[in-house]
Amino acid sequence: VIKCKAAVAWEAGKPLSFEEVEVAPPKAHEVRIKIVASAVCHTDSYTLSGADPEGCFPVILGHEGAGIVESVGEGVTKVKPGDTVIPLYIPQCGECKFCKNPKTNLCQKIRITQGKGLMPDGTSRFTCKGKQIYHFMGTSTFSEYTVVADISVAKIDAAAPLDKVCLLGCGVSTGYGAALNTAKVEPGSTCAIFGLGAVGLAVIMGCKTAGASRIIGIDLNKDKFAKAKEFGATECISPQDFKKPIQEVLMEMTDGGVDFSFECIGNVGVMRAALEACHKGWGVSVIVGVAGAGQEISTRPFQLVTGRTWKGTAFGGWKSVDNVPKLVNDYMARKIKVDEFVTHTLPFDKINEAFELMHAGK
């Protein structure tokens, strides 16, 4: 058993608590990882807020991490101690019908136990002050050591800087893949991105890579516009600058609507606006943001009858074990930006400050 520091969420709506935890050794087909770097994501704060229907407490959050394999359980063949890895919140077992289908990346092998905050055998590897602590998204990267299933880990280039490539564990990969894999953005097309956080910026990067000719960034926070343009946005607008609904503004700006739109916030009203900003006949709108428990999307069916398509994406459609190492290689070859997403680097014990910076849009 390893004793180490972790940021524990004892209950919903409270700041994370810096604690000493015990991390049990990996069982069969499990891997124990020394986490070197972790990013914070809105999904972590969504669960911490209490809005997540699958949220269990007490829990160690975090799902954008990178580290070094410390030890492996029986039967683990794909990684060994010393390997550099990224934990994966969407695993890839290679055996279930989802993994065998090229149309999806949603491996279901350990979905049920992962959703309950447990390892595949139905137990936890974390304890603190004598209490069992739940896992989060199969990763729990807000701990100096974590244990994951062997199908939830990608071995990556040992030379990659872990304080950067940890972002490929969620946000950057998600946005980039939403454009390339889910929407399949076409050269010369017009795209609109709602929400210019890390995921929205990654969508912009994907649209640019795909050859879109017009990339419109939309956010209430105009401080984000300069960064969006660095990533490839051709123009940025704020809904507050207009008296009419943003979808009407976009229809006028683009002669009938955009070819592709992306909702990167998790707001059901904005999801509707993003769909209705699409061009009749062929417009595609992708939902990337995660809405709160119990919320529903709505639009008039005529929007779809007249040729628009509404889609969603999880982890950008990437089959994780296969593609995360390739994304790391693309970053190392300077084909994709990652460094530019990092605004602050803080010591682990300042994790609550990181959440405050995220909520402040900084």
Side-chain angles (χ1 to χ4, degrees), residues 86-152:
I86 290 178
L88 307 167
Y89 72 89
I90 293 184
Q92 186 186 349
C93 71
E95 295 162 2
C96 70
K97 66 181 179 182
F98 288 79
C99 281
K100 288 179 172 170
N101 190 323
K103 294 177 183 174
T104 184
N105 63 330
L106 297 175
C107 173
Q108 296 295 294
K109 179 88 179 230
I110 58 174
R111 177 76 195 91
I112 290 168
T113 49
Q114 181 170 313
K116 292 176 182 166
L118 299 167
M119 293 299 290
D121 72 346
T123 63
S124 167
R125 302 291 161 269
F126 296 122
T127 48
C128 181
K129 298 177 180 172
K131 287 188 182 146
Q132 172 186 284
I133 308 292
Y134 287 108
H135 293 250
F136 177 65
M137 290 175 76
T139 54
S140 289
T141 62
F142 293 169
S143 174
E144 290 175 329
Y145 287 86
T146 190
V147 179
V148 305
D150 63 351
I151 58 172
S152 302

Short mmCIF file of all heavy atoms in Angstrom, two decimals, residues 86-152:
data_model
loop_
_atom_site.label_atom_id
_atom_site.label_comp_id
_atom_site.label_asym_id
_atom_site.label_seq_id
_atom_site.Cartn_x
_atom_site.Cartn_y
_atom_site.Cartn_z
N ILE A 86 -0.92 7.89 -20.22
CA ILE A 86 -2.07 8.78 -19.97
C ILE A 86 -3.25 7.88 -19.59
O ILE A 86 -3.59 6.96 -20.35
CB ILE A 86 -2.40 9.63 -21.20
CG1 ILE A 86 -1.30 10.68 -21.44
CG2 ILE A 86 -3.77 10.32 -21.05
CD1 ILE A 86 -1.51 11.55 -22.67
N PRO A 87 -3.87 8.11 -18.41
CA PRO A 87 -5.08 7.34 -18.05
C PRO A 87 -6.25 7.78 -18.94
O PRO A 87 -6.33 8.95 -19.33
CB PRO A 87 -5.34 7.74 -16.59
CG PRO A 87 -4.18 8.57 -16.15
CD PRO A 87 -3.50 9.08 -17.38
N LEU A 88 -7.13 6.84 -19.23
CA LEU A 88 -8.22 7.08 -20.18
C LEU A 88 -9.59 6.93 -19.53
O LEU A 88 -9.89 5.86 -18.99
CB LEU A 88 -8.12 6.08 -21.34
CG LEU A 88 -6.76 6.01 -22.04
CD1 LEU A 88 -6.69 4.78 -22.94
CD2 LEU A 88 -6.50 7.29 -22.85
N TYR A 89 -10.41 7.99 -19.60
CA TYR A 89 -11.75 7.84 -18.99
C TYR A 89 -12.68 7.07 -19.90
O TYR A 89 -13.69 6.52 -19.44
CB TYR A 89 -12.32 9.20 -18.59
CG TYR A 89 -12.78 10.10 -19.70
CD1 TYR A 89 -14.08 10.03 -20.20
CD2 TYR A 89 -11.92 11.04 -20.26
CE1 TYR A 89 -14.50 10.87 -21.21
CE2 TYR A 89 -12.34 11.89 -21.27
CZ TYR A 89 -13.63 11.80 -21.74
OH TYR A 89 -14.04 12.64 -22.75
N ILE A 90 -12.38 7.00 -21.20
CA ILE A 90 -13.08 6.05 -22.08
C ILE A 90 -12.05 4.99 -22.44
O ILE A 90 -11.07 5.28 -23.12
CB ILE A 90 -13.64 6.72 -23.34
CG1 ILE A 90 -14.76 7.69 -22.96
CG2 ILE A 90 -14.18 5.65 -24.31
CD1 ILE A 90 -15.45 8.34 -24.13
N PRO A 91 -12.24 3.76 -21.92
CA PRO A 91 -11.24 2.72 -22.20
C PRO A 91 -11.37 2.19 -23.63
O PRO A 91 -12.19 2.69 -24.41
CB PRO A 91 -11.62 1.63 -21.18
CG PRO A 91 -13.07 1.81 -20.94
CD PRO A 91 -13.36 3.28 -21.12
N GLN A 92 -10.53 1.24 -23.96
CA GLN A 92 -10.66 0.53 -25.24
C GLN A 92 -10.23 -0.90 -25.01
O GLN A 92 -9.04 -1.21 -24.98
CB GLN A 92 -9.80 1.20 -26.33
CG GLN A 92 -10.04 0.58 -27.71
CD GLN A 92 -9.10 1.12 -28.78
OE1 GLN A 92 -8.39 2.11 -28.55
NE2 GLN A 92 -9.07 0.48 -29.93
N CYS A 93 -11.23 -1.78 -24.84
CA CYS A 93 -10.90 -3.19 -24.54
C CYS A 93 -10.57 -3.96 -25.81
O CYS A 93 -9.86 -4.95 -25.77
CB CYS A 93 -12.06 -3.86 -23.80
SG CYS A 93 -13.54 -4.17 -24.81
N GLY A 94 -11.12 -3.50 -26.95
CA GLY A 94 -10.87 -4.17 -28.21
C GLY A 94 -11.73 -5.40 -28.44
O GLY A 94 -11.68 -6.02 -29.49
N GLU A 95 -12.58 -5.74 -27.46
CA GLU A 95 -13.35 -6.98 -27.55
C GLU A 95 -14.87 -6.77 -27.60
O GLU A 95 -15.57 -7.59 -28.17
CB GLU A 95 -13.05 -7.86 -26.32
CG GLU A 95 -11.62 -8.36 -26.27
CD GLU A 95 -11.22 -8.84 -24.88
OE1 GLU A 95 -12.07 -8.82 -23.96
OE2 GLU A 95 -10.04 -9.21 -24.73
N CYS A 96 -15.38 -5.69 -26.96
CA CYS A 96 -16.84 -5.51 -26.92
C CYS A 96 -17.36 -5.07 -28.29
O CYS A 96 -16.59 -4.67 -29.16
CB CYS A 96 -17.22 -4.50 -25.84
SG CYS A 96 -16.75 -2.78 -26.20
N LYS A 97 -18.67 -5.12 -28.47
CA LYS A 97 -19.22 -4.80 -29.79
C LYS A 97 -19.00 -3.33 -30.15
O LYS A 97 -18.94 -2.97 -31.32
CB LYS A 97 -20.69 -5.18 -29.89
CG LYS A 97 -21.65 -4.43 -29.01
CD LYS A 97 -23.08 -4.96 -29.24
CE LYS A 97 -24.07 -4.24 -28.35
NZ LYS A 97 -25.44 -4.77 -28.52
N PHE A 98 -18.84 -2.48 -29.13
CA PHE A 98 -18.56 -1.06 -29.38
C PHE A 98 -17.14 -0.90 -29.92
O PHE A 98 -16.91 -0.18 -30.88
CB PHE A 98 -18.75 -0.25 -28.10
CG PHE A 98 -20.18 -0.10 -27.68
CD1 PHE A 98 -20.84 -1.13 -27.02
CD2 PHE A 98 -20.88 1.06 -27.96
CE1 PHE A 98 -22.18 -0.99 -26.64
CE2 PHE A 98 -22.21 1.20 -27.58
CZ PHE A 98 -22.86 0.17 -26.93
N CYS A 99 -16.18 -1.57 -29.29
CA CYS A 99 -14.79 -1.48 -29.76
C CYS A 99 -14.64 -2.06 -31.16
O CYS A 99 -13.83 -1.59 -31.96
CB CYS A 99 -13.85 -2.20 -28.80
SG CYS A 99 -13.48 -1.23 -27.31
N LYS A 100 -15.44 -3.08 -31.47
CA LYS A 100 -15.33 -3.72 -32.79
C LYS A 100 -16.03 -2.91 -33.88
O LYS A 100 -15.85 -3.18 -35.06
CB LYS A 100 -15.91 -5.14 -32.73
CG LYS A 100 -14.99 -6.09 -31.97
CD LYS A 100 -15.57 -7.49 -31.90
CE LYS A 100 -14.54 -8.45 -31.31
NZ LYS A 100 -15.13 -9.76 -31.01
N ASN A 101 -16.85 -1.92 -33.48
CA ASN A 101 -17.58 -1.12 -34.46
C ASN A 101 -16.81 0.18 -34.75
O ASN A 101 -16.55 0.96 -33.83
CB ASN A 101 -18.97 -0.79 -33.89
CG ASN A 101 -19.89 -0.17 -34.93
OD1 ASN A 101 -19.46 0.61 -35.77
ND2 ASN A 101 -21.16 -0.54 -34.89
N PRO A 102 -16.44 0.41 -36.01
CA PRO A 102 -15.66 1.62 -36.34
C PRO A 102 -16.44 2.91 -36.15
O PRO A 102 -15.85 3.99 -36.15
CB PRO A 102 -15.30 1.42 -37.82
CG PRO A 102 -16.34 0.49 -38.35
CD PRO A 102 -16.72 -0.42 -37.21
N LYS A 103 -17.76 2.83 -35.93
CA LYS A 103 -18.58 4.04 -35.81
C LYS A 103 -18.54 4.67 -34.43
O LYS A 103 -19.07 5.76 -34.24
CB LYS A 103 -20.04 3.71 -36.17
CG LYS A 103 -20.24 3.32 -37.61
CD LYS A 103 -21.69 2.95 -37.87
CE LYS A 103 -21.88 2.46 -39.30
NZ LYS A 103 -23.25 1.96 -39.50
N THR A 104 -17.95 4.00 -33.44
CA THR A 104 -18.00 4.56 -32.08
C THR A 104 -16.71 4.27 -31.32
O THR A 104 -15.97 3.35 -31.66
CB THR A 104 -19.20 3.98 -31.29
OG1 THR A 104 -19.27 4.62 -30.01
CG2 THR A 104 -19.06 2.49 -31.07
N ASN A 105 -16.48 5.08 -30.28
CA ASN A 105 -15.34 4.87 -29.38
C ASN A 105 -15.82 4.53 -27.97
O ASN A 105 -15.02 4.49 -27.04
CB ASN A 105 -14.47 6.13 -29.34
CG ASN A 105 -15.21 7.34 -28.78
OD1 ASN A 105 -16.42 7.46 -28.90
ND2 ASN A 105 -14.48 8.26 -28.17
N LEU A 106 -17.12 4.30 -27.80
CA LEU A 106 -17.69 4.16 -26.45
C LEU A 106 -17.60 2.74 -25.92
O LEU A 106 -18.61 2.06 -25.76
CB LEU A 106 -19.15 4.63 -26.46
CG LEU A 106 -19.35 6.11 -26.79
CD1 LEU A 106 -20.84 6.43 -26.89
CD2 LEU A 106 -18.72 6.99 -25.72
N CYS A 107 -16.38 2.28 -25.63
CA CYS A 107 -16.18 0.95 -25.03
C CYS A 107 -17.05 0.82 -23.78
O CYS A 107 -17.07 1.70 -22.93
CB CYS A 107 -14.71 0.79 -24.66
SG CYS A 107 -14.34 -0.72 -23.72
N GLN A 108 -17.77 -0.30 -23.68
CA GLN A 108 -18.70 -0.51 -22.56
C GLN A 108 -18.23 -1.55 -21.55
O GLN A 108 -18.94 -1.86 -20.60
CB GLN A 108 -20.07 -0.94 -23.10
CG GLN A 108 -20.75 0.12 -23.96
CD GLN A 108 -21.10 1.37 -23.18
OE1 GLN A 108 -21.93 1.35 -22.30
NE2 GLN A 108 -20.45 2.48 -23.51
N LYS A 109 -17.03 -2.08 -21.76
CA LYS A 109 -16.54 -3.20 -20.94
C LYS A 109 -16.65 -2.95 -19.43
O LYS A 109 -17.06 -3.83 -18.69
CB LYS A 109 -15.09 -3.47 -21.34
CG LYS A 109 -14.41 -4.58 -20.57
CD LYS A 109 -14.62 -5.92 -21.23
CE LYS A 109 -13.91 -7.01 -20.46
NZ LYS A 109 -13.09 -7.86 -21.26
N ILE A 110 -16.25 -1.74 -18.98
CA ILE A 110 -16.25 -1.48 -17.52
C ILE A 110 -17.15 -0.29 -17.17
O ILE A 110 -17.04 0.29 -16.10
CB ILE A 110 -14.82 -1.26 -17.00
CG1 ILE A 110 -14.14 -0.09 -17.72
CG2 ILE A 110 -14.00 -2.53 -17.14
CD1 ILE A 110 -12.77 0.29 -17.15
N ARG A 111 -18.06 0.03 -18.08
CA ARG A 111 -18.87 1.23 -17.92
C ARG A 111 -19.69 1.23 -16.62
O ARG A 111 -19.80 2.24 -15.94
CB ARG A 111 -19.81 1.37 -19.13
CG ARG A 111 -20.76 2.55 -19.06
CD ARG A 111 -20.05 3.86 -19.36
NE ARG A 111 -20.84 5.00 -18.97
CZ ARG A 111 -20.77 5.59 -17.77
NH1 ARG A 111 -19.96 5.14 -16.84
NH2 ARG A 111 -21.51 6.63 -17.49
N ILE A 112 -20.29 0.09 -16.28
CA ILE A 112 -21.22 0.06 -15.15
C ILE A 112 -20.48 0.30 -13.83
O ILE A 112 -20.89 1.15 -13.04
CB ILE A 112 -22.01 -1.26 -15.14
CG1 ILE A 112 -22.99 -1.23 -16.33
CG2 ILE A 112 -22.78 -1.43 -13.84
CD1 ILE A 112 -23.66 -2.52 -16.66
N THR A 113 -19.36 -0.41 -13.61
CA THR A 113 -18.62 -0.19 -12.36
C THR A 113 -17.97 1.20 -12.34
O THR A 113 -17.94 1.87 -11.31
CB THR A 113 -17.53 -1.26 -12.17
OG1 THR A 113 -16.77 -1.39 -13.38
CG2 THR A 113 -18.14 -2.60 -11.79
N GLN A 114 -17.47 1.64 -13.50
CA GLN A 114 -16.84 2.98 -13.55
C GLN A 114 -17.84 4.07 -13.18
O GLN A 114 -17.52 5.00 -12.44
CB GLN A 114 -16.27 3.23 -14.96
CG GLN A 114 -15.59 4.58 -15.10
CD GLN A 114 -14.84 4.71 -16.42
OE1 GLN A 114 -14.11 3.82 -16.82
NE2 GLN A 114 -15.02 5.82 -17.11
N GLY A 115 -19.09 3.91 -13.65
CA GLY A 115 -20.14 4.88 -13.34
C GLY A 115 -20.51 4.92 -11.86
O GLY A 115 -21.06 5.90 -11.37
N LYS A 116 -20.19 3.82 -11.15
CA LYS A 116 -20.47 3.76 -9.71
C LYS A 116 -19.26 4.15 -8.87
O LYS A 116 -19.28 4.04 -7.64
CB LYS A 116 -20.92 2.34 -9.33
CG LYS A 116 -22.28 1.98 -9.91
CD LYS A 116 -22.63 0.53 -9.59
CE LYS A 116 -23.97 0.15 -10.20
NZ LYS A 116 -24.19 -1.30 -10.20
N GLY A 117 -18.17 4.58 -9.52
CA GLY A 117 -16.98 5.01 -8.80
C GLY A 117 -16.13 3.86 -8.28
O GLY A 117 -15.40 4.02 -7.30
N LEU A 118 -16.23 2.70 -8.96
CA LEU A 118 -15.51 1.51 -8.48
C LEU A 118 -14.65 0.90 -9.58
O LEU A 118 -14.86 1.14 -10.77
CB LEU A 118 -16.52 0.47 -7.99
CG LEU A 118 -17.41 0.93 -6.83
CD1 LEU A 118 -18.57 -0.03 -6.62
CD2 LEU A 118 -16.58 1.09 -5.55
N MET A 119 -13.68 0.09 -9.18
CA MET A 119 -12.87 -0.66 -10.12
C MET A 119 -13.74 -1.79 -10.70
O MET A 119 -14.81 -2.09 -10.17
CB MET A 119 -11.63 -1.22 -9.41
CG MET A 119 -10.66 -0.12 -8.95
SD MET A 119 -9.97 0.89 -10.29
CE MET A 119 -8.90 -0.30 -11.11
N PRO A 120 -13.26 -2.44 -11.78
CA PRO A 120 -14.10 -3.47 -12.43
C PRO A 120 -14.57 -4.59 -11.50
O PRO A 120 -15.61 -5.19 -11.73
CB PRO A 120 -13.19 -4.01 -13.54
CG PRO A 120 -12.32 -2.84 -13.89
CD PRO A 120 -12.07 -2.13 -12.60
N ASP A 121 -13.82 -4.87 -10.42
CA ASP A 121 -14.26 -5.94 -9.51
C ASP A 121 -15.26 -5.44 -8.46
O ASP A 121 -15.65 -6.18 -7.55
CB ASP A 121 -13.05 -6.60 -8.82
CG ASP A 121 -12.40 -5.70 -7.77
OD1 ASP A 121 -12.70 -4.47 -7.76
OD2 ASP A 121 -11.59 -6.20 -6.97
N GLY A 122 -15.68 -4.15 -8.58
CA GLY A 122 -16.70 -3.63 -7.68
C GLY A 122 -16.17 -3.08 -6.36
O GLY A 122 -16.95 -2.83 -5.44
N THR A 123 -14.84 -2.90 -6.26
CA THR A 123 -14.26 -2.34 -5.03
C THR A 123 -13.41 -1.10 -5.36
O THR A 123 -13.22 -0.78 -6.53
CB THR A 123 -13.37 -3.38 -4.31
OG1 THR A 123 -12.27 -3.73 -5.17
CG2 THR A 123 -14.16 -4.64 -3.96
N SER A 124 -12.93 -0.43 -4.31
CA SER A 124 -12.10 0.77 -4.49
C SER A 124 -10.67 0.48 -4.05
O SER A 124 -10.44 -0.38 -3.19
CB SER A 124 -12.66 1.91 -3.65
OG SER A 124 -11.72 2.97 -3.58
N ARG A 125 -9.70 1.22 -4.63
CA ARG A 125 -8.30 1.09 -4.20
C ARG A 125 -7.90 2.23 -3.26
O ARG A 125 -6.75 2.32 -2.86
CB ARG A 125 -7.35 1.08 -5.41
CG ARG A 125 -7.58 -0.01 -6.42
CD ARG A 125 -7.24 -1.40 -5.92
NE ARG A 125 -7.92 -2.38 -6.78
CZ ARG A 125 -9.11 -2.86 -6.56
NH1 ARG A 125 -9.79 -2.52 -5.46
NH2 ARG A 125 -9.65 -3.71 -7.40
N PHE A 126 -8.81 3.14 -2.98
CA PHE A 126 -8.48 4.30 -2.15
C PHE A 126 -9.15 4.22 -0.78
O PHE A 126 -10.35 3.93 -0.68
CB PHE A 126 -9.00 5.60 -2.81
CG PHE A 126 -8.36 5.94 -4.12
CD1 PHE A 126 -9.16 6.09 -5.26
CD2 PHE A 126 -6.99 6.16 -4.24
CE1 PHE A 126 -8.59 6.45 -6.49
CE2 PHE A 126 -6.42 6.52 -5.46
CZ PHE A 126 -7.22 6.66 -6.59
N THR A 127 -8.36 4.53 0.27
CA THR A 127 -8.97 4.75 1.58
C THR A 127 -8.34 6.00 2.20
O THR A 127 -7.21 6.36 1.88
CB THR A 127 -8.76 3.56 2.55
OG1 THR A 127 -7.39 3.19 2.52
CG2 THR A 127 -9.61 2.37 2.19
N CYS A 128 -9.12 6.67 3.05
CA CYS A 128 -8.65 7.87 3.74
C CYS A 128 -9.35 7.93 5.09
O CYS A 128 -10.58 7.85 5.15
CB CYS A 128 -8.96 9.11 2.92
SG CYS A 128 -8.41 10.65 3.67
N LYS A 129 -8.56 8.04 6.16
CA LYS A 129 -9.11 8.10 7.52
C LYS A 129 -10.06 6.93 7.78
O LYS A 129 -11.13 7.08 8.38
CB LYS A 129 -9.87 9.43 7.74
CG LYS A 129 -8.95 10.65 7.60
CD LYS A 129 -9.73 11.94 7.74
CE LYS A 129 -8.81 13.14 7.60
NZ LYS A 129 -9.51 14.42 7.53
N GLY A 130 -9.67 5.77 7.24
CA GLY A 130 -10.47 4.56 7.47
C GLY A 130 -11.71 4.42 6.60
O GLY A 130 -12.44 3.45 6.71
N LYS A 131 -11.95 5.40 5.73
CA LYS A 131 -13.15 5.33 4.87
C LYS A 131 -12.77 4.99 3.43
O LYS A 131 -11.74 5.44 2.93
CB LYS A 131 -13.84 6.70 4.84
CG LYS A 131 -14.56 7.06 6.11
CD LYS A 131 -15.38 8.33 5.91
CE LYS A 131 -16.07 8.72 7.20
NZ LYS A 131 -16.19 10.15 7.36
N GLN A 132 -13.65 4.23 2.76
CA GLN A 132 -13.46 3.97 1.34
C GLN A 132 -13.72 5.26 0.55
O GLN A 132 -14.69 5.96 0.82
CB GLN A 132 -14.44 2.90 0.85
CG GLN A 132 -14.41 2.72 -0.67
CD GLN A 132 -15.47 1.76 -1.18
OE1 GLN A 132 -15.33 0.56 -1.03
NE2 GLN A 132 -16.53 2.27 -1.77
N ILE A 133 -12.84 5.55 -0.41
CA ILE A 133 -13.02 6.72 -1.28
C ILE A 133 -13.30 6.21 -2.69
O ILE A 133 -12.64 5.27 -3.17
CB ILE A 133 -11.73 7.59 -1.29
CG1 ILE A 133 -11.28 7.94 0.13
CG2 ILE A 133 -11.94 8.84 -2.14
CD1 ILE A 133 -12.18 8.86 0.90
N TYR A 134 -14.27 6.81 -3.34
CA TYR A 134 -14.62 6.38 -4.70
C TYR A 134 -13.62 6.86 -5.75
O TYR A 134 -12.97 7.89 -5.57
CB TYR A 134 -16.02 6.90 -5.07
CG TYR A 134 -17.14 6.19 -4.36
CD1 TYR A 134 -17.87 6.82 -3.35
CD2 TYR A 134 -17.50 4.88 -4.72
CE1 TYR A 134 -18.91 6.17 -2.69
CE2 TYR A 134 -18.54 4.23 -4.07
CZ TYR A 134 -19.24 4.87 -3.06
OH TYR A 134 -20.26 4.22 -2.44
N HIS A 135 -13.57 6.10 -6.83
CA HIS A 135 -12.81 6.51 -8.02
C HIS A 135 -13.70 7.41 -8.88
O HIS A 135 -14.92 7.45 -8.70
CB HIS A 135 -12.42 5.28 -8.85
CG HIS A 135 -11.44 4.37 -8.16
ND1 HIS A 135 -10.14 4.25 -8.58
CD2 HIS A 135 -11.57 3.55 -7.09
CE1 HIS A 135 -9.51 3.37 -7.80
NE2 HIS A 135 -10.36 2.93 -6.88
N PHE A 136 -13.10 8.13 -9.83
CA PHE A 136 -13.85 9.04 -10.69
C PHE A 136 -13.47 8.81 -12.15
O PHE A 136 -12.30 8.90 -12.51
CB PHE A 136 -13.55 10.48 -10.30
CG PHE A 136 -14.22 11.52 -11.18
CD1 PHE A 136 -15.59 11.65 -11.21
CD2 PHE A 136 -13.46 12.38 -11.97
CE1 PHE A 136 -16.21 12.61 -12.01
CE2 PHE A 136 -14.07 13.34 -12.77
CZ PHE A 136 -15.44 13.46 -12.79
N MET A 137 -14.44 8.51 -12.96
CA MET A 137 -14.27 8.33 -14.41
C MET A 137 -13.18 7.30 -14.74
O MET A 137 -12.55 7.35 -15.79
CB MET A 137 -13.96 9.67 -15.09
CG MET A 137 -15.18 10.59 -15.09
SD MET A 137 -14.89 12.25 -15.73
CE MET A 137 -14.81 11.98 -17.50
N GLY A 138 -12.95 6.40 -13.78
CA GLY A 138 -11.95 5.36 -13.99
C GLY A 138 -10.52 5.85 -13.95
O GLY A 138 -9.60 5.10 -14.29
N THR A 139 -10.30 7.12 -13.53
CA THR A 139 -8.96 7.70 -13.61
C THR A 139 -8.46 8.29 -12.29
O THR A 139 -7.36 7.99 -11.86
CB THR A 139 -8.91 8.78 -14.71
OG1 THR A 139 -9.95 9.73 -14.47
CG2 THR A 139 -9.09 8.17 -16.10
N SER A 140 -9.26 9.18 -11.66
CA SER A 140 -8.88 9.82 -10.37
C SER A 140 -7.46 10.37 -10.38
O SER A 140 -6.59 9.94 -9.62
CB SER A 140 -9.05 8.82 -9.21
OG SER A 140 -10.41 8.57 -8.97
N THR A 141 -7.24 11.38 -11.20
CA THR A 141 -5.88 11.91 -11.35
C THR A 141 -5.51 12.96 -10.29
O THR A 141 -4.38 13.43 -10.27
CB THR A 141 -5.68 12.52 -12.75
OG1 THR A 141 -6.59 13.61 -12.93
CG2 THR A 141 -5.90 11.49 -13.84
N PHE A 142 -6.46 13.34 -9.41
CA PHE A 142 -6.13 14.29 -8.34
C PHE A 142 -5.52 13.56 -7.13
O PHE A 142 -5.84 13.84 -5.98
CB PHE A 142 -7.35 15.09 -7.90
CG PHE A 142 -7.90 16.04 -8.92
CD1 PHE A 142 -9.14 16.66 -8.73
CD2 PHE A 142 -7.21 16.35 -10.09
CE1 PHE A 142 -9.66 17.54 -9.67
CE2 PHE A 142 -7.73 17.23 -11.03
CZ PHE A 142 -8.96 17.83 -10.82
N SER A 143 -4.67 12.59 -7.42
CA SER A 143 -3.96 11.85 -6.38
C SER A 143 -2.55 11.60 -6.89
O SER A 143 -2.35 11.41 -8.10
CB SER A 143 -4.65 10.50 -6.13
OG SER A 143 -3.91 9.71 -5.23
N GLU A 144 -1.57 11.61 -5.98
CA GLU A 144 -0.18 11.37 -6.41
C GLU A 144 -0.01 9.97 -7.00
O GLU A 144 0.88 9.74 -7.83
CB GLU A 144 0.78 11.60 -5.26
CG GLU A 144 0.88 13.08 -4.89
CD GLU A 144 1.74 13.37 -3.68
OE1 GLU A 144 1.81 12.52 -2.76
OE2 GLU A 144 2.34 14.45 -3.64
N TYR A 145 -0.85 9.03 -6.53
CA TYR A 145 -0.87 7.68 -7.13
C TYR A 145 -2.33 7.31 -7.37
O TYR A 145 -3.20 7.64 -6.57
CB TYR A 145 -0.22 6.64 -6.22
CG TYR A 145 1.29 6.75 -6.17
CD1 TYR A 145 1.90 7.63 -5.28
CD2 TYR A 145 2.10 6.01 -7.04
CE1 TYR A 145 3.29 7.76 -5.25
CE2 TYR A 145 3.48 6.14 -7.01
CZ TYR A 145 4.07 7.01 -6.12
OH TYR A 145 5.43 7.15 -6.10
N THR A 146 -2.56 6.61 -8.48
CA THR A 146 -3.92 6.16 -8.77
C THR A 146 -3.85 4.75 -9.34
O THR A 146 -2.78 4.30 -9.78
CB THR A 146 -4.64 7.12 -9.74
OG1 THR A 146 -6.03 6.78 -9.82
CG2 THR A 146 -4.06 7.05 -11.16
N VAL A 147 -4.98 4.05 -9.33
CA VAL A 147 -5.06 2.72 -9.94
C VAL A 147 -6.15 2.74 -10.99
O VAL A 147 -7.26 3.23 -10.74
CB VAL A 147 -5.36 1.64 -8.87
CG1 VAL A 147 -5.45 0.25 -9.53
CG2 VAL A 147 -4.28 1.63 -7.80
N VAL A 148 -5.80 2.22 -12.18
CA VAL A 148 -6.77 2.18 -13.29
C VAL A 148 -6.79 0.78 -13.90
O VAL A 148 -5.86 0.00 -13.72
CB VAL A 148 -6.41 3.22 -14.39
CG1 VAL A 148 -6.30 4.62 -13.82
CG2 VAL A 148 -5.13 2.86 -15.13
N ALA A 149 -7.85 0.49 -14.63
CA ALA A 149 -7.93 -0.78 -15.37
C ALA A 149 -6.88 -0.75 -16.49
O ALA A 149 -6.56 0.31 -17.04
CB ALA A 149 -9.32 -0.95 -15.96
N ASP A 150 -6.36 -1.91 -16.86
CA ASP A 150 -5.32 -1.92 -17.90
C ASP A 150 -5.85 -1.52 -19.28
O ASP A 150 -5.07 -1.15 -20.16
CB ASP A 150 -4.59 -3.27 -17.96
CG ASP A 150 -5.48 -4.45 -18.34
OD1 ASP A 150 -6.73 -4.29 -18.40
OD2 ASP A 150 -4.95 -5.56 -18.55
N ILE A 151 -7.17 -1.56 -19.45
CA ILE A 151 -7.73 -1.11 -20.74
C ILE A 151 -7.99 0.40 -20.74
O ILE A 151 -8.43 0.97 -21.73
CB ILE A 151 -9.05 -1.86 -21.09
CG1 ILE A 151 -10.11 -1.68 -20.00
CG2 ILE A 151 -8.77 -3.33 -21.35
CD1 ILE A 151 -11.48 -2.21 -20.36
N SER A 152 -7.67 1.03 -19.59
CA SER A 152 -7.89 2.48 -19.44
C SER A 152 -6.57 3.24 -19.40
O SER A 152 -6.43 4.23 -18.69
CB SER A 152 -8.67 2.76 -18.14
OG SER A 152 -9.89 2.07 -18.13
#
